[in-house]
Amino acid sequence: MKMQNAMQKKEWSEEKTKKKKRLLCALLFVCAACFLFAGTANLWMILAVSGRIVSPEEAALQEADCILVLGAGVREDGTPSQILAARLDTALSLYEEGVSSRLLMSGDHGREEYDEVNGMKRAAVEAGVPSDAVFMDHAGFSTYDSLYRARDIFQAEKIVIVTQRYHLYRALYIAGALGLDAVGVPAQGEEYSGQTYREVREWAARTKDFVNVIWKPEAAVMGDAIPVSGNGDQTND
């Protein structure tokens, strides 16, 4: 009897070990499949839009409805972070070169205490851009939302997007999927601290939006149309 019990325990132990191995193999397979899908989505996205990243001189030939500046972090006093300042400097340079007569500042202003877009507009106006030429999208909570609202709320059809190069690939891919005629100009600036983290985060974000544009859900916040051809002061708060 003792020998029989010992043999049963051994069989149970072996079966338990086999189940653990099968579970581990299944988990490794799923992880490998996810990694392969993410890598393929990233590569596809980058290759699909690389030709849409242009120089300021090429952007000037587009006759764009607006220059879309994608928001980034702001400091506690509301001034642009280093990354956002580089985007604004590039966008203002494009404006001065006549790429478009309209600037669309899109960012997060979902809370009273956090406001990206007013600081962006303030920087443009202080640089000499007329206030009525600067529109603010207060509900640009994500890259997808910014592009969706540029099309549906601000009625833009042809745009020049300004952000850092690593971010441009996703922005341009989304724009194309939404039917926008878009090119991108990389923000000029120095290397930024924490860039490795941003690259990894962007890798995951590209994968998410690769799937997202298949379904094309509405932006998180919608509303009445404010054509970018009109008066930007309509977006003041």
Side-chain angles (χ1 to χ4, degrees):
M1 180 66 71
K2 289 183 179 180
M3 183 177 293
Q4 185 178 4
N5 288 339
M7 289 178 65
Q8 286 179 338
K9 286 181 180 180
K10 184 179 179 181
E11 289 175 357
W12 290 338
S13 177
E14 288 176 350
E15 183 61 28
K16 190 174 181 180
T17 301
K18 287 179 181 179
K19 286 182 178 179
K20 286 182 178 179
K21 286 181 178 179
R22 286 195 293 266
L23 181 60
L24 179 59
C25 287
L27 183 60
L28 289 174
F29 176 80
V30 170
C31 289
C34 290
F35 187 83
L36 180 61
F37 175 77
T40 302
N42 271 257
L43 182 60
W44 179 273
M45 190 175 286
I46 290 169
L47 293 177
V49 301
S50 290
R52 306 295 291 173
I53 298 178
V54 301
S55 67
E57 293 75 23
E58 291 171 308
L61 302 175
Q62 299 299 310
E63 298 182 355
D65 297 328
C66 68
I67 299 164
L68 172 63
V69 188
L70 297 175
V74 293
R75 301 185 179 95
E76 289 186 7
D77 62 358
T79 57
S81 62
Q82 185 184 16
I83 288 178
L84 183 54
R87 297 179 188 182
L88 291 168
D89 287 346
T90 300
L92 291 171
S93 176
L94 294 176
Y95 173 84
E96 291 168 1
E97 292 173 17
V99 170
S100 178
S101 62
R102 295 289 187 270
L103 289 164
L104 174 55
M105 308 299 193
S106 185
D108 185 350
H109 188 193
R111 310 185 306 278
E112 185 177 350
E113 67 275 12
Y114 185 78
D115 179 1
E116 292 177 356
V117 292
N118 273 287
M120 294 165 75
K121 177 162 184 170
R122 186 164 51 249
V125 172
E126 289 174 355
V129 182
S131 178
D132 62 4
V134 186
F135 290 73
M136 290 185 289
D137 177 5
H138 300 266
F141 302 129
S142 69
T143 304
Y144 180 86
D145 282 2
S146 291
L147 272 302
Y148 196 102
R149 286 173 56 82
R151 184 194 69 179
D152 284 29
I153 301 297
F154 296 96
Q155 305 287 288
E157 297 177 358
K158 199 168 189 177
I159 62 174
V160 174
I161 305 171
V162 177
T163 184
Q164 277 70 25
R165 181 178 290 272
Y166 74 91
H167 186 204
L168 262 180
Y169 300 112
R170 179 161 59 101
L172 287 167
Y173 189 82
I174 293 169
L178 293 177
L180 287 162
D181 184 354
V183 297
V185 176
Q188 303 302 311
E190 301 175 358
E191 289 295 321
Y192 313 103
S193 60
Q195 186 59 27
T196 300
Y197 165 76
R198 278 186 289 273
E199 294 281 359
V200 172
R201 183 175 177 272
E202 185 63 18
W203 191 81
R206 288 190 197 122
T207 307
K208 173 182 70 69
D209 280 331
F210 181 84
V211 176
N212 203 34
V213 298
I214 296 172
W215 311 112
K216 299 181 179 63
E218 274 196 349
V221 175
M222 297 296 289
D224 296 334
I226 309 171
V228 78
S229 57
N231 189 327
D233 287 334
Q234 284 184 271
T235 63
N236 291 353
D237 60 353

